[in-house]
Amino acid sequence: MKDFKFKISGNLYNVSITNIEGNIAEVEVNGTPYKVEIDKELKQSKTPKLVRQTSIPSTDTHPSVAKTQSPGKATAGAIKSPLPGVILEVHVKAGDRVKPGQKLLVLEAMKMENNIDSDKEGVVAEVRFNKGDSVLEGDVLIIIGA
């Protein structure tokens, strides 16, 4: 479970706590096992603590390529769905001028609402899905032209 190093009166002690049940802790001091009684009962958390790295969301499978730049004329300026889900709201229509960071639509995926924002400036050429439509990961939702 936990390892500690103590230095007491110049002597080094390697202490490992191997198990705690109620108010009894099983410890090893320099390889010798001991059962230690603790004056009060310790309650262990059953839920592990998760440590996650900070992530930057992307709607494209290749993070090195901007999500509105895909090969081919048909998908140039395409905003793709990052996850499978359902379209809750559409905030733009064909012909609207958009700026970087502007909210285009809201996608419900895994019971969470995800804002899909524009990453480039331009005019909305096509909106391919409507409110209530189901989409799959990678589906082209909106095409932004120059």
Side-chain angles (χ1 to χ4, degrees), residues 74 77-79 92-96 123-129 140-145:
I79 302 291
V92 295
K93 61 186 182 305
D96 288 352
V123 177
V124 176
E126 182 181 356
V127 178
R128 293 194 172 179
F129 291 93
V140 175
L141 305 173
I142 296 175
I143 297 178
I144 300 175

Side-chain angles (χ1 to χ4, degrees), residues 3-143:
D3 293 321
F4 301 94
K5 292 183 189 254
F6 295 105
K7 193 169 195 179
I8 303 172
S9 300
N11 295 325
L12 182 64
Y13 296 93
N14 292 319
V15 179
S16 295
I17 300 174
T18 56
N19 190 21
I20 298 175
E21 288 185 24
N23 67 337
I24 304 292
E26 295 176 13
V27 298
E28 275 188 24
V29 179
N30 291 340
T32 306
Y34 295 97
K35 288 194 178 192
V36 178
E37 187 175 344
I38 304 170
D39 63 347
K40 64 180 180 178
E41 187 171 322
L42 296 176
K43 295 190 180 197
Q44 274 188 302
S45 170
K46 296 197 181 227
T47 305
K49 185 176 181 181
L50 296 177
V51 179
R52 296 184 181 182
Q53 294 177 334
T54 304
S55 64
I56 299 169
S58 174
T59 58
D60 208 321
T61 55
H62 303 290
S64 62
V65 178
K67 62 186 173 185
T68 55
Q69 295 177 353
S70 298
K73 185 177 179 184
T75 58
I79 302 291
K80 297 179 181 180
S81 175
L83 298 165
V86 176
I87 304 294
L88 293 181
E89 300 173 34
V90 180
H91 295 282
V92 295
K93 61 186 182 305
D96 288 352
R97 180 162 276 300
V98 294
K99 296 179 180 178
Q102 182 176 339
K103 187 190 304 186
L104 301 174
L105 54 87
V106 178
L107 172 72
E108 180 186 32
M110 299 187 296
K111 299 189 180 197
M112 292 186 65
E113 291 183 7
N114 299 281
N115 293 331
I116 308 297
D117 299 334
S118 174
D119 68 340
K120 72 180 264 183
E121 187 172 345
V123 177
V124 176
E126 182 181 356
V127 178
R128 293 194 172 179
F129 291 93
N130 297 311
K131 181 177 178 178
D133 289 348
S134 294
V135 297
L136 297 175
E137 182 177 355
D139 282 352
V140 175
L141 305 173
I142 296 175
I143 297 178

